[in-house]
C-alpha cells in the first residue's frame, strides 16, 4: 500500500474514538503515527541497506514482533496501575496491525515469523511496467487505496460538521 495507510489509520482511530469515551486529539495523533510507523524502515532500506532486502522483511513489518512489544507494554502499564493508558496502547497496536493487513494485499507480510516463513500476499501484482510503481498504481488494488481516501474525506467532513 502506498498512499492509504494514513487515511486508513484516521478512519480506524475515529471509529475507536466514536465507540469509546476518549475523543482526544492526542489519541488521534497516536493512531495516525502508528498507522504509518512501520514504514520508518524505509529510511534504513534506502539510506543504510542500499535496497538489498525488501523492507517488509525488517522487524518493523513483523506482526508478531509488534504483538510481543505490545504484550510487554501491556504488562508494564498494568504493573504501573495506569489502566487509563491501555486505550493508547490498543489504538497504536490496531493501527500497526491495520498497516500490516493493508501491506498484505498487494505485497507480502510474514504474519507468523519467526514461527513460520509463510508470506501472506493476497493479490499478486504482475510486472508490466519498467518503473515498478506503475505496476501498483495501474492495478485494480489501487482502487482500494482511492476508496479509503474518499471514505476518509467523508469521515473527516462529518467530523468537522459535528464540531461546528
Ligand atoms: Zn508498510
Amino acid at each position: 500500500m502506498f498512499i492509504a495507510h494514513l487515511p486508513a489509520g484516521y478512519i480506524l482511530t475515529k471509529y475507536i474514538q466514536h465507540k469509546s469515551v476518549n475523543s482526544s486529539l492526542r489519541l488521534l495523533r497516536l493512531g495516525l503515527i502508528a498507522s504509518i510507523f512501520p514504514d520508518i524502515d524505509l529510511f534504513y532500506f534506502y539510506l543504510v541497506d542500499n535496497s538489498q532486502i525488501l523492507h517488509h522483511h525488517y522487524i518493523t513489518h513483523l506482526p508478531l514482533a509488534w504483538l510481543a512489544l505490545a504484550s510487554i507494554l501491556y504488562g508494564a502499564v498494568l504493573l504501573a496501575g495506569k489502566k487509563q493508558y491501555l486505550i493508547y496502547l490498543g489504538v497504536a497496536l490496531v493501527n500497526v496491525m491495520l498497516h500490516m493487513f493493508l501491506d498484505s494485499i498487494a505485497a507480502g507480510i510474514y504474519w507468523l515469523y519467526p514461527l513460520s516463513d509463510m508470506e501472506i500476499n493476497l493479490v499478486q501484482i504482475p510486472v508490466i511496467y519498467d518503473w515498478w510503481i506503475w505496476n501498483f498504481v495501474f492495478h485494480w488494488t489501487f482502487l482500494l487505496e482511492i476508496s479509503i481516501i474518499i471514505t476518509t474525506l467523508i469521515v473527516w467532513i462529518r467530523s468537522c460538521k459535528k464540531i461546528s
Side-chain angles (χ1 to χ4, degrees), residues 34-98:
S35 72
I36 56 172
F37 191 79
D39 283 340
I40 198 167
D41 59 16
L42 285 169
F43 290 107
Y44 185 85
F45 177 71
Y46 285 113
L47 301 177
V48 179
D49 201 27
N50 202 24
S51 309
Q52 294 298 305
I53 299 172
L54 289 174
H55 77 107
H56 283 187
H57 297 184
Y58 297 146
I59 194 168
T60 42
H61 276 83
L62 297 178
L64 289 186
W66 287 106
L67 283 175
L69 177 63
S71 298
I72 292 167
L73 292 174
Y74 178 79
V77 168
L78 288 185
L79 281 174
K82 304 281 186 184
K83 279 186 173 179
Q84 68 272 25
Y85 293 115
L86 286 178
I87 191 165
Y88 292 95
L89 180 60
V91 163
L93 181 62
V94 294
N95 270 288
V96 166
M97 289 301 150
L98 175 64

